[in-house]
Amino acid sequence: SAVISQKPSRDICQRGTSLTIQCQVDSQVTMMFWYRQQPGQSLTLIATANQGSEATYESGFVIDKFPISRPNLTFSTLTVSNMSPEDSSIYLCSVGRIFGQGTRLTVV
Amino acid sequence: SQQGEEDPQALSIQEGENATMNCSYKTSINNLQWYRQNSGRGLVHLILIRSNEREKHSGRLRVTLDTSKKSSSLLITASRAADTASYFCATGEGTSYDKVIFGPGTSLSVIP
């Protein structure tokens, strides 16, 4: 099964700044997925990232806030833009059933 | 988006006892999966049951699926302190590499 490397593992960011999270897979996959897990909550799907096309966002998530890149079949990035304390969460990428270790983001 | 509900939200048992968690979902599914998450990180896929299956076992895990009631249960037998974690059911739409929609989860504490 695929192995995912996600970084950074954690970060503390200032309000109003942006953070880009990277996700590297050790094999080629068509679709990659980005999730958000707010404190004490379950995972919520943000978007599906397909190589060669724009990401498909779930209800409540918009490209301006969470731009996603998918330059090839093994790599994707998620940017959390213009951050506020409400964006403090764990962000995870996945390829189906395999998940990265997550990025714990704290916005101060 | 999230799927359905999980019951109970939190469960505390003694080591050696069995733990049962229930999950309901809203839409038609291709498969249902259970995951474990320790300390808010490290999501691990435990087991998958397809929509045409009713019961599946893996080690100390037993999963049932009732598509007529849109519900599933996860039984962990002979629990251990290391089973302490959050458990999530999630519905899948198709193949191994499709998106997964999660339920709210059950927090399990196993007391040594």
Side-chain angles (χ1 to χ4, degrees):
Chain A
S1 58
V3 176
I4 299 175
S5 299
Q6 185 176 339
K7 60 181 180 182
S9 61
R10 61 176 63 231
D11 208 340
I12 300 173
C13 299
Q14 294 293 320
R15 183 195 300 256
T17 63
S18 298
L19 176 71
T20 296
I21 302 166
Q22 299 179 4
C23 191
Q24 178 77 51
V25 189
D26 68 347
S27 58
Q28 294 184 340
V29 293
T30 304
M31 291 186 288
M32 297 176 71
F33 306 95
W34 287 97
Y35 291 83
R36 180 179 71 183
Q37 186 175 27
Q38 295 176 300
Q41 303 295 313
S42 182
L43 285 77
T44 300
L45 180 65
I46 297 173
T48 300
N50 294 312
Q51 196 272 333
S53 64
E54 285 199 4
T56 303
Y57 289 83
E58 299 294 310
S59 175
F61 297 96
V62 295
I63 188 171
D64 289 346
K65 177 67 176 177
F66 297 102
I68 288 171
S69 77
R70 186 77 202 278
N72 58 52
L73 289 173
T74 64
F75 187 77
S76 179
T77 67
L78 169 77
T79 298
V80 186
S81 301
N82 188 25
M83 290 184 285
S84 68
E86 292 70 34
D87 295 318
S88 296
S89 297
I90 298 173
Y91 293 85
L92 301 99
C93 65
S94 85
V95 292
R97 302 172 208 169
I98 310 299
F99 283 77
Q101 286 298 298
T103 296
R104 185 181 294 272
L105 171 62
T106 302
V107 183
V108 297
Chain B
S1 56
Q2 285 196 340
Q3 272 278 34
E5 301 176 353
E6 285 186 61
D7 166 41
Q9 292 185 346
L11 179 62
S12 182
I13 60 174
Q14 295 288 327
E15 199 166 31
E17 295 180 338
N18 296 340
T20 299
M21 289 161 268
N22 302 298
C23 164
S24 64
Y25 57 91
K26 298 175 183 176
T27 63
S28 296
I29 61 170
N30 179 282
N31 61 71
L32 188 140
Q33 305 166 36
W34 286 88
Y35 291 80
R36 182 184 72 226
Q37 187 179 42
N38 296 87
S39 303
R41 301 281 292 275
L43 205 67
V44 175
H45 181 265
L46 295 176
I47 193 167
L48 177 148
I49 185 165
R50 302 190 188 285
S51 59
N52 61 352
E53 298 176 308
R54 293 297 168 257
E55 186 171 314
K56 200 161 185 179
H57 297 254
S58 177
R60 294 184 295 113
L61 305 180
R62 172 178 170 256
V63 169
T64 63
L65 179 64
D66 187 334
T67 53
S68 67
K69 295 180 180 178
K70 289 187 167 57
S71 67
S72 174
S73 67
L74 171 68
L75 169 66
I76 304 174
T77 60
S79 64
R80 306 166 181 168
D83 294 328
T84 295
S86 293
Y87 291 82
F88 299 95
C89 72
T91 54
E93 297 184 352
T95 70
S96 305
Y97 297 99
D98 281 345
K99 68 181 179 183
V100 177
I101 305 299
F102 285 82
T106 294
S107 176
L108 173 65
S109 296
V110 181
I111 303 167

mmCIF file of all heavy atoms in Angstrom, chain B residues 55-85:
data_model
loop_
_atom_site.group_PDB
_atom_site.id
_atom_site.type_symbol
_atom_site.label_atom_id
_atom_site.label_comp_id
_atom_site.label_asym_id
_atom_site.label_seq_id
_atom_site.Cartn_x
_atom_site.Cartn_y
_atom_site.Cartn_z
ATOM 1 N N GLU B 55 -21.164 -9.414 7.680
ATOM 2 C CA GLU B 55 -20.293 -9.520 8.839
ATOM 3 C C GLU B 55 -18.876 -9.800 8.365
ATOM 4 O O GLU B 55 -18.662 -10.475 7.362
ATOM 5 C CB GLU B 55 -20.770 -10.655 9.756
ATOM 6 C CG GLU B 55 -20.035 -10.776 11.064
ATOM 7 C CD GLU B 55 -20.695 -11.768 12.009
ATOM 8 O OE1 GLU B 55 -21.927 -11.710 12.160
ATOM 9 O OE2 GLU B 55 -19.964 -12.600 12.582
ATOM 10 N N LYS B 56 -17.917 -9.234 9.119
ATOM 11 C CA LYS B 56 -16.517 -9.451 8.773
ATOM 12 C C LYS B 56 -15.685 -9.447 10.043
ATOM 13 O O LYS B 56 -15.978 -8.705 10.988
ATOM 14 C CB LYS B 56 -16.034 -8.368 7.815
ATOM 15 C CG LYS B 56 -14.796 -8.726 7.041
ATOM 16 C CD LYS B 56 -14.665 -7.832 5.829
ATOM 17 C CE LYS B 56 -13.484 -8.263 4.990
ATOM 18 N NZ LYS B 56 -13.350 -7.420 3.775
ATOM 19 N N HIS B 57 -14.649 -10.298 10.060
ATOM 20 C CA HIS B 57 -13.795 -10.408 11.227
ATOM 21 C C HIS B 57 -12.359 -10.098 10.834
ATOM 22 O O HIS B 57 -11.918 -10.384 9.721
ATOM 23 C CB HIS B 57 -13.852 -11.825 11.798
ATOM 24 C CG HIS B 57 -15.196 -12.236 12.283
ATOM 25 N ND1 HIS B 57 -15.515 -12.327 13.616
ATOM 26 C CD2 HIS B 57 -16.328 -12.555 11.611
ATOM 27 C CE1 HIS B 57 -16.778 -12.709 13.739
ATOM 28 N NE2 HIS B 57 -17.293 -12.853 12.540
ATOM 29 N N SER B 58 -11.643 -9.512 11.781
ATOM 30 C CA SER B 58 -10.206 -9.318 11.623
ATOM 31 C C SER B 58 -9.587 -9.303 13.008
ATOM 32 O O SER B 58 -9.714 -8.330 13.752
ATOM 33 C CB SER B 58 -9.913 -7.996 10.905
ATOM 34 O OG SER B 58 -8.513 -7.781 10.814
ATOM 35 N N GLY B 59 -8.951 -10.421 13.382
ATOM 36 C CA GLY B 59 -8.372 -10.526 14.713
ATOM 37 C C GLY B 59 -9.428 -10.363 15.787
ATOM 38 O O GLY B 59 -10.425 -11.093 15.820
ATOM 39 N N ARG B 60 -9.262 -9.368 16.662
ATOM 40 C CA ARG B 60 -10.238 -9.124 17.726
ATOM 41 C C ARG B 60 -11.380 -8.214 17.287
ATOM 42 O O ARG B 60 -12.205 -7.820 18.109
ATOM 43 C CB ARG B 60 -9.520 -8.509 18.932
ATOM 44 C CG ARG B 60 -8.520 -9.433 19.598
ATOM 45 C CD ARG B 60 -7.904 -8.811 20.864
ATOM 46 N NE ARG B 60 -7.111 -7.629 20.558
ATOM 47 C CZ ARG B 60 -7.446 -6.390 20.933
ATOM 48 N NH1 ARG B 60 -8.546 -6.157 21.631
ATOM 49 N NH2 ARG B 60 -6.650 -5.376 20.630
ATOM 50 N N LEU B 61 -11.412 -7.869 16.041
ATOM 51 C CA LEU B 61 -12.453 -6.974 15.520
ATOM 52 C C LEU B 61 -13.534 -7.758 14.803
ATOM 53 O O LEU B 61 -13.249 -8.674 14.048
ATOM 54 C CB LEU B 61 -11.840 -5.963 14.541
ATOM 55 C CG LEU B 61 -10.680 -5.121 15.024
ATOM 56 C CD1 LEU B 61 -10.226 -4.188 13.913
ATOM 57 C CD2 LEU B 61 -11.049 -4.348 16.263
ATOM 58 N N ARG B 62 -14.778 -7.346 15.057
ATOM 59 C CA ARG B 62 -15.915 -7.902 14.317
ATOM 60 C C ARG B 62 -16.791 -6.741 13.881
ATOM 61 O O ARG B 62 -17.202 -5.926 14.691
ATOM 62 C CB ARG B 62 -16.706 -8.871 15.189
ATOM 63 C CG ARG B 62 -18.019 -9.344 14.560
ATOM 64 C CD ARG B 62 -18.723 -10.336 15.475
ATOM 65 N NE ARG B 62 -20.083 -10.614 15.013
ATOM 66 C CZ ARG B 62 -21.175 -10.113 15.585
ATOM 67 N NH1 ARG B 62 -21.077 -9.319 16.634
ATOM 68 N NH2 ARG B 62 -22.374 -10.418 15.123
ATOM 69 N N VAL B 63 -17.060 -6.681 12.601
ATOM 70 C CA VAL B 63 -17.886 -5.607 12.048
ATOM 71 C C VAL B 63 -19.133 -6.218 11.442
ATOM 72 O O VAL B 63 -19.065 -7.247 10.767
ATOM 73 C CB VAL B 63 -17.109 -4.819 10.973
ATOM 74 C CG1 VAL B 63 -18.046 -3.883 10.219
ATOM 75 C CG2 VAL B 63 -15.980 -4.027 11.612
ATOM 76 N N THR B 64 -20.263 -5.590 11.685
ATOM 77 C CA THR B 64 -21.504 -5.981 11.031
ATOM 78 C C THR B 64 -22.032 -4.797 10.236
ATOM 79 O O THR B 64 -21.740 -3.636 10.539
ATOM 80 C CB THR B 64 -22.561 -6.424 12.046
ATOM 81 O OG1 THR B 64 -22.890 -5.321 12.902
ATOM 82 C CG2 THR B 64 -22.064 -7.596 12.882
ATOM 83 N N LEU B 65 -22.808 -5.112 9.233
ATOM 84 C CA LEU B 65 -23.410 -4.092 8.376
ATOM 85 C C LEU B 65 -24.842 -4.473 8.072
ATOM 86 O O LEU B 65 -25.114 -5.602 7.652
ATOM 87 C CB LEU B 65 -22.620 -3.943 7.072
ATOM 88 C CG LEU B 65 -23.143 -2.925 6.061
ATOM 89 C CD1 LEU B 65 -23.077 -1.514 6.633
ATOM 90 C CD2 LEU B 65 -22.374 -3.017 4.749
ATOM 91 N N ASP B 66 -25.744 -3.547 8.303
ATOM 92 C CA ASP B 66 -27.155 -3.740 7.977
ATOM 93 C C ASP B 66 -27.562 -2.616 7.027
ATOM 94 O O ASP B 66 -27.848 -1.498 7.459
ATOM 95 C CB ASP B 66 -27.999 -3.715 9.254
ATOM 96 C CG ASP B 66 -29.462 -4.069 9.001
ATOM 97 O OD1 ASP B 66 -29.943 -3.862 7.858
ATOM 98 O OD2 ASP B 66 -30.129 -4.533 9.934
ATOM 99 N N THR B 67 -27.564 -2.897 5.751
ATOM 100 C CA THR B 67 -27.841 -1.848 4.775
ATOM 101 C C THR B 67 -29.313 -1.421 4.803
ATOM 102 O O THR B 67 -29.620 -0.295 4.421
ATOM 103 C CB THR B 67 -27.460 -2.298 3.358
ATOM 104 O OG1 THR B 67 -28.092 -3.551 3.084
ATOM 105 C CG2 THR B 67 -25.952 -2.450 3.228
ATOM 106 N N SER B 68 -30.192 -2.297 5.267
ATOM 107 C CA SER B 68 -31.608 -1.912 5.340
ATOM 108 C C SER B 68 -31.827 -0.861 6.411
ATOM 109 O O SER B 68 -32.703 -0.001 6.290
ATOM 110 C CB SER B 68 -32.479 -3.132 5.615
ATOM 111 O OG SER B 68 -32.239 -3.649 6.911
ATOM 112 N N LYS B 69 -31.017 -0.905 7.449
ATOM 113 C CA LYS B 69 -31.111 0.072 8.532
ATOM 114 C C LYS B 69 -30.037 1.157 8.410
ATOM 115 O O LYS B 69 -29.977 2.070 9.238
ATOM 116 C CB LYS B 69 -30.973 -0.614 9.884
ATOM 117 C CG LYS B 69 -32.090 -1.578 10.214
ATOM 118 C CD LYS B 69 -31.892 -2.220 11.586
ATOM 119 C CE LYS B 69 -33.022 -3.181 11.913
ATOM 120 N NZ LYS B 69 -32.819 -3.839 13.229
ATOM 121 N N LYS B 70 -29.198 1.038 7.397
ATOM 122 C CA LYS B 70 -28.086 1.973 7.206
ATOM 123 C C LYS B 70 -27.293 2.105 8.509
ATOM 124 O O LYS B 70 -27.089 3.217 9.045
ATOM 125 C CB LYS B 70 -28.584 3.341 6.728
ATOM 126 C CG LYS B 70 -29.090 3.344 5.290
ATOM 127 C CD LYS B 70 -29.419 4.755 4.819
ATOM 128 C CE LYS B 70 -29.620 4.829 3.321
ATOM 129 N NZ LYS B 70 -30.659 3.955 2.802
ATOM 130 N N SER B 71 -26.853 0.971 9.014
ATOM 131 C CA SER B 71 -26.111 0.987 10.260
ATOM 132 C C SER B 71 -25.025 -0.077 10.257
ATOM 133 O O SER B 71 -25.114 -1.085 9.537
ATOM 134 C CB SER B 71 -27.043 0.792 11.456
ATOM 135 O OG SER B 71 -27.592 -0.501 11.433
ATOM 136 N N SER B 72 -24.026 0.142 11.102
ATOM 137 C CA SER B 72 -22.915 -0.782 11.253
ATOM 138 C C SER B 72 -22.485 -0.786 12.710
ATOM 139 O O SER B 72 -22.730 0.186 13.443
ATOM 140 C CB SER B 72 -21.742 -0.355 10.366
ATOM 141 O OG SER B 72 -20.599 -1.167 10.592
ATOM 142 N N SER B 73 -21.864 -1.878 13.130
ATOM 143 C CA SER B 73 -21.301 -1.916 14.470
ATOM 144 C C SER B 73 -19.885 -2.476 14.412
ATOM 145 O O SER B 73 -19.566 -3.304 13.556
ATOM 146 C CB SER B 73 -22.163 -2.762 15.406
ATOM 147 O OG SER B 73 -22.108 -4.115 15.015
ATOM 148 N N LEU B 74 -19.074 -2.009 15.337
ATOM 149 C CA LEU B 74 -17.705 -2.504 15.509
ATOM 150 C C LEU B 74 -17.597 -3.067 16.911
ATOM 151 O O LEU B 74 -17.864 -2.366 17.885
ATOM 152 C CB LEU B 74 -16.689 -1.378 15.322
ATOM 153 C CG LEU B 74 -15.237 -1.728 15.688
ATOM 154 C CD1 LEU B 74 -14.656 -2.744 14.715
ATOM 155 C CD2 LEU B 74 -14.367 -0.464 15.717
ATOM 156 N N LEU B 75 -17.218 -4.332 16.996
ATOM 157 C CA LEU B 75 -17.009 -4.994 18.281
ATOM 158 C C LEU B 75 -15.523 -5.265 18.437
ATOM 159 O O LEU B 75 -14.906 -5.867 17.553
ATOM 160 C CB LEU B 75 -17.793 -6.301 18.348
ATOM 161 C CG LEU B 75 -17.470 -7.235 19.524
ATOM 162 C CD1 LEU B 75 -17.886 -6.609 20.841
ATOM 163 C CD2 LEU B 75 -18.118 -8.605 19.324
ATOM 164 N N ILE B 76 -14.962 -4.813 19.542
ATOM 165 C CA ILE B 76 -13.573 -5.136 19.895
ATOM 166 C C ILE B 76 -13.646 -6.088 21.085
ATOM 167 O O ILE B 76 -14.166 -5.718 22.152
ATOM 168 C CB ILE B 76 -12.759 -3.887 20.264
ATOM 169 C CG1 ILE B 76 -12.794 -2.864 19.125
ATOM 170 C CG2 ILE B 76 -11.322 -4.261 20.598
ATOM 171 C CD1 ILE B 76 -12.121 -1.536 19.482
ATOM 172 N N THR B 77 -13.175 -7.280 20.928
ATOM 173 C CA THR B 77 -13.231 -8.255 22.007
ATOM 174 C C THR B 77 -11.951 -8.207 22.843
ATOM 175 O O THR B 77 -10.888 -7.805 22.361
ATOM 176 C CB THR B 77 -13.417 -9.677 21.455
ATOM 177 O OG1 THR B 77 -12.310 -9.992 20.598
ATOM 178 C CG2 THR B 77 -14.716 -9.783 20.668
ATOM 179 N N ALA B 78 -12.103 -8.603 24.112
ATOM 180 C CA ALA B 78 -10.957 -8.696 25.023
ATOM 181 C C ALA B 78 -10.083 -7.448 24.926
ATOM 182 O O ALA B 78 -8.895 -7.513 24.585
ATOM 183 C CB ALA B 78 -10.142 -9.945 24.713
ATOM 184 N N SER B 79 -10.669 -6.315 25.225
ATOM 185 C CA SER B 79 -9.989 -5.037 25.015
ATOM 186 C C SER B 79 -8.712 -4.924 25.845
ATOM 187 O O SER B 79 -8.574 -5.530 26.910
ATOM 188 C CB SER B 79 -10.939 -3.887 25.353
ATOM 189 O OG SER B 79 -11.278 -3.922 26.721
ATOM 190 N N ARG B 80 -7.798 -4.091 25.325
ATOM 191 C CA ARG B 80 -6.525 -3.827 25.968
ATOM 192 C C ARG B 80 -6.357 -2.326 26.150
ATOM 193 O O ARG B 80 -6.976 -1.538 25.434
ATOM 194 C CB ARG B 80 -5.390 -4.360 25.094
ATOM 195 C CG ARG B 80 -5.513 -5.813 24.700
ATOM 196 C CD ARG B 80 -4.562 -6.166 23.580
ATOM 197 N NE ARG B 80 -4.701 -7.571 23.180
ATOM 198 C CZ ARG B 80 -4.162 -8.075 22.074
ATOM 199 N NH1 ARG B 80 -3.430 -7.309 21.283
ATOM 200 N NH2 ARG B 80 -4.340 -9.357 21.778
ATOM 201 N N ALA B 81 -5.507 -1.935 27.057
ATOM 202 C CA ALA B 81 -5.263 -0.508 27.267
ATOM 203 C C ALA B 81 -4.809 0.161 25.967
ATOM 204 O O ALA B 81 -5.145 1.319 25.702
ATOM 205 C CB ALA B 81 -4.226 -0.310 28.365
ATOM 206 N N ALA B 82 -4.090 -0.578 25.141
ATOM 207 C CA ALA B 82 -3.605 -0.026 23.875
ATOM 208 C C ALA B 82 -4.721 0.249 22.876
ATOM 209 O O ALA B 82 -4.499 0.909 21.862
ATOM 210 C CB ALA B 82 -2.583 -0.974 23.258
ATOM 211 N N ASP B 83 -5.920 -0.256 23.142
ATOM 212 C CA ASP B 83 -7.059 0.027 22.263
ATOM 213 C C ASP B 83 -7.645 1.405 22.527
ATOM 214 O O ASP B 83 -8.536 1.847 21.793
ATOM 215 C CB ASP B 83 -8.156 -1.023 22.461
ATOM 216 C CG ASP B 83 -7.729 -2.413 22.018
ATOM 217 O OD1 ASP B 83 -6.924 -2.525 21.070
ATOM 218 O OD2 ASP B 83 -8.202 -3.396 22.631
ATOM 219 N N THR B 84 -7.193 2.070 23.570
ATOM 220 C CA THR B 84 -7.675 3.420 23.862
ATOM 221 C C THR B 84 -7.383 4.337 22.681
ATOM 222 O O THR B 84 -6.223 4.519 22.297
ATOM 223 C CB THR B 84 -7.004 3.963 25.137
ATOM 224 O OG1 THR B 84 -7.418 3.176 26.248
ATOM 225 C CG2 THR B 84 -7.376 5.424 25.363
ATOM 226 N N ALA B 85 -8.431 4.899 22.099
ATOM 227 C CA ALA B 85 -8.299 5.708 20.883
ATOM 228 C C ALA B 85 -9.680 6.223 20.507
ATOM 229 O O ALA B 85 -10.679 5.898 21.142
ATOM 230 C CB ALA B 85 -7.723 4.876 19.740
#
